[in-house]
Amino acid sequence: MNHEETRKSVVPSGGLHGIEVRPIRREERTRWDELMRQYHYLGLHSLIG
């Protein structure tokens, strides 16, 4: 798999209705860390920026 293939997204046929993209809230940080550790392909690392 090359770099471009890893950047492609698949959108379900029903679209992304109801999806909200926003910064996490302070009280959500612990859960966000858990989900990143568990599901993100690179795991959890320090945030930059």
Side-chain angles (χ1 to χ4, degrees):
M1 184 177 296
N2 66 36
H3 179 69
E4 287 304 312
E5 290 173 325
T6 62
R7 295 183 54 91
K8 291 179 183 176
S9 298
V10 176
V11 177
S13 60
L16 296 175
H17 301 289
I19 298 295
E20 179 182 353
V21 178
R22 61 170 175 75
I24 62 170
R25 296 179 186 110
R26 178 173 279 127
E27 64 271 12
E28 297 171 321
R29 181 60 192 258
T30 300
R31 179 70 175 136
W32 187 87
D33 287 349
E34 291 170 1
L35 292 171
M36 290 297 287
R37 252 187 232 100
Q38 184 175 359
Y39 293 108
H40 195 278
Y41 73 103
L42 293 176
L44 177 66
H45 299 284
S46 297
L47 296 176
I48 300 172

